[in-house]
Amino acid sequence: MDSKRLCSGSQQQVLLRIKRTKREWRPLEDRSCTDLPWFLLFTVFCVGMGSICGFTIVTGGAARLVFGYDSYGNTCGRRNEQIEGVRLSGLDHTDRKFVFFLDPCNIDIVQRKIKSMALCVSLCPTEELKTYQDLKRFAMFNGSELCSYELAAHKYPGLPERVTKCPKLPVPPSKPLPVFNRCTPVDVSCYAQFAEAVVTFVGDNSVLHRLIAGVAASKEVIIGLCVLALVLSMILMVIIRYISAVLVWILTALVVLGSLAGTSVLWWLYVDHRLYGNDTSVKPAKEAKEEVEVIRDGGQALLVYAVSATVFTIILLLLMLFMRKRVALTIALFHVAGKVFIHLPLLTLQPFVTFIALLLFWTYWVLVLLFLGTTGNPVQNEETGLTEFRLTGPLQYLTWYHAVGLVWVSEFILACQQMTVAGAVVTYYFTRDKNRLPVTPILSSVLRLARYHLGTVAKGSFIITLVKIPRLVLMYVHNQLKGKENACARCLLKTCICCLWCLEKCLNYLNQNAYAATAINNTSFCTSARDAFVLLVENALRVATINAVGDFVLFLGKILIVTSTAFAGVLLLNYQQDYAEWLLPLIIVCLFSFLVAHCFLSVFEIVVDVLFLCFAIDTKYNDGTPGKEFFMDKALMEFVESSRRLERAVERGRSRVKEAVSEGAEMKPMAPGTSSA
């Protein structure tokens, strides 16, 4: 009796354990935190990045960047302390708030920095100073000495040191920057030369000035066209469901016709080569023999190309034949994705929110990087003799830590967008009555992410970071060794970069589906990634079709927006007769329109991918019977019904063939001599 109770109790525990581990594949109301250790690790990492910023502020790097410092290590606008071993340091520059460069055009093209001596002055020269007498007069009247501190202002014209310790004549008029107190020349011709050296395609200084003038003159048109690209992108996200079918079938027709045409041309070239390529009768025997060998090799090459193209075309036609149903699924998913944006209009704001978050973080990151450039111990430059601040010892690894933070936090922000969109789309899909959707599914998804799933997002973004950083390092090495490495090393580097890029794209796609699985099941990142991977493998052909056809349709959408914006730009810029140089404004508009279209249609692509994962889950665990009703939209339901009708028709055909075969076997005549008397 006790053994029976023990057995029944153990069976109940096993059933309870199975019930707990079995997932319903529906959005759960009761949730718990996922991947909490990774959230704590990411928090500690962000605290470390903030500590770097605090370190630069405490050690004076931020003040040196904002207020500026001279070539002796003194911060302008402040009372300074003596730096050991550096002469003219520790001066009181309370009244000298501006940084003045003796030769602002002395620029290091490689390091992209000014090599001139810098001084703290109380006033920037607003007029051109042509002689040393003008320098003396400016110093006496305004109290702003433009030569090195040890030189007396009234002795400027007669001092022999004036050539190296006074500004290069003539001194151009300058004005201070609004925030960073640097005296900047009003005539930026030397900076234009610097830009010309960096941007190598500009060969003439006048061309650069004309292009910049064209941009400045047509700024209103540029802003208007950028707004037009924004509006077109938002409209396309809604109406693409109506034109997706046309685009998909046009794409299919073009691919088939293009492959048939290419194969036909190759065979025509081969036949023409065989018929008319052997005429060598008028040439000497030796030359004719060599030409015959060349012609024969060319004919063999054409034959190989033609046969390869034929095999490719046959395989392509067979794929089109067998995957036509899956193309219909892609069209249905695009149709439902358009409905999602109608029911969830706040999805269109996701690119704005992500862009603003990335922009704020990148601004902070660049600012702290500049702080790091003016932080550290004072070091005298051996080449110029000027005092610079550099990080030495273990502190120099702060820059690397900061660089890793750029990649990880940027990927974290992008992953938050993916998780937010996935959560909203999952809520939409698994709500049978769309009129009973939450008031703000997007905000609910954001709150759910912030409360439960930041650790999952941190883990997924860290995996992408582990792949992206080696790729960026290899790209930097390849760039630095350009022209110096041998062909084998160059090929190996490019191969590694390409492999890491492909791995990063695959992981991005898997991460996106893992976030959707987390939004449904409230599981950890690894469990969600495994479940999503199993579903994707089970629907591999569908995934390939949706990615191939869908990506090309979205690419056509991007091209449509860019060409429409460029056409409007040509009309507007050409209509305004004052805009003689409108090539650069048009390029700026095209680049911006492509960026905007890419951001918006990337959100559309995420919606399509999440819808497909939900559809795969729906068709795997539900069959439309009572108690297992589908959650899918009417368009997807029609696709499922048409697929089932086709499968039933195929099954009926197979059964009829089997019946015919069995009847034929039964009606086979008996062998002679076996009949009864």
Side-chain angles (χ1 to χ4, degrees), residues 160-451:
E161 301 93 337
R162 66 182 186 276
V163 178
T164 57
K165 296 186 177 181
C166 284
K168 184 179 179 180
L169 298 177
V171 179
S174 60
K175 58 181 180 180
L177 291 175
V179 178
F180 302 96
N181 302 316
R182 270 75 169 176
C183 295
T184 308
V186 177
D187 181 13
V188 293
S189 58
C190 59
Y191 300 135
Q193 294 170 7
F194 175 57
E196 179 182 335
V198 175
V199 185
T200 56
F201 67 87
V202 178
D204 185 8
N205 197 23
S206 62
V207 174
L208 179 64
H209 282 282
R210 289 171 63 192
L211 292 176
I212 295 175
V215 173
S218 55
K219 56 183 180 296
E220 294 85 1
V221 176
I222 293 175
I223 294 174
L225 291 173
C226 292
V227 174
L228 175 64
L230 191 64
V231 174
L232 289 177
S233 300
M234 298 176 70
I235 294 175
L236 184 63
M237 292 173 70
V238 178
I239 68 170
I240 196 171
R241 64 177 176 143
Y242 300 110
I243 63 175
S244 58
V246 178
L247 291 176
V248 167
W249 292 121
I250 288 176
L251 166 64
T252 305
L254 288 176
V255 170
V256 172
L257 292 177
S259 60
L260 290 173
T263 304
S264 303
V265 168
L266 285 173
W267 279 114
W268 177 77
L269 289 174
Y270 173 71
V271 172
D272 182 73
H273 187 82
R274 289 292 301 272
L275 293 177
Y276 305 105
N278 297 323
D279 187 12
T280 58
S281 57
V282 298
K283 295 186 178 181
K286 185 177 180 180
E287 294 183 6
K289 183 179 179 181
E290 293 177 354
E291 188 167 347
V292 166
E293 293 179 357
V294 172
I295 291 173
R296 185 170 59 249
D297 293 340
Q300 291 176 354
L302 281 174
L303 180 61
V304 171
Y305 296 155
V307 171
S308 301
T310 303
V311 173
F312 172 78
T313 302
I314 293 173
I315 295 174
L316 181 64
L317 292 176
L318 291 175
L319 285 175
M320 291 293 182
L321 179 63
F322 289 111
M323 297 177 69
R324 63 187 186 280
K325 292 190 301 181
R326 296 173 180 85
V327 172
L329 174 60
T330 304
I331 297 173
L333 287 173
F334 270 66
H335 187 80
V336 178
K339 287 186 178 180
V340 170
F341 281 95
I342 292 177
H343 285 89
L344 308 177
L346 288 180
L347 275 178
T348 56
L349 298 179
Q350 280 300 303
F352 291 106
V353 176
T354 305
F355 176 74
I356 291 173
L358 286 173
L359 185 63
L360 291 175
F361 170 69
W362 290 343
T363 303
Y364 164 81
W365 188 87
V366 170
L367 198 60
V368 174
L369 183 66
L370 294 175
F371 288 168
L372 286 172
T374 55
T375 303
N377 300 320
V379 178
Q380 203 162 24
N381 191 314
E382 297 180 357
E383 180 183 353
T384 61
L386 309 179
T387 302
E388 300 174 353
F389 291 87
R390 297 177 185 173
L391 294 171
T392 56
L395 294 178
Q396 60 186 337
Y397 296 106
L398 292 179
T399 306
W400 289 102
Y401 186 96
H402 195 59
V404 173
L406 172 66
V407 181
W408 192 4
V409 177
S410 298
E411 292 296 330
F412 178 83
I413 294 172
L414 293 174
C416 285
Q417 180 194 20
Q418 294 176 352
M419 178 70 92
T420 301
V421 174
V425 174
V426 164
T427 302
Y428 171 85
Y429 187 95
F430 288 101
T431 302
R432 298 188 189 276
D433 186 3
K434 307 306 179 188
N435 295 322
R436 300 183 62 182
L437 283 169
V439 180
T440 54
I442 299 294
L443 295 180
S444 301
S445 181
V446 171
L447 294 176
R448 197 160 52 239
L449 165 65
R451 186 174 180 182

Side-chain angles (χ1 to χ4, degrees), residues 34 66 69 147 183 211 236 283 505 542:
T34 56
V66 176
Y69 65 97
C147 294
C183 295
L211 292 176
L236 184 63
K283 295 186 178 181
K505 293 299 178 184
R542 288 177 172 176

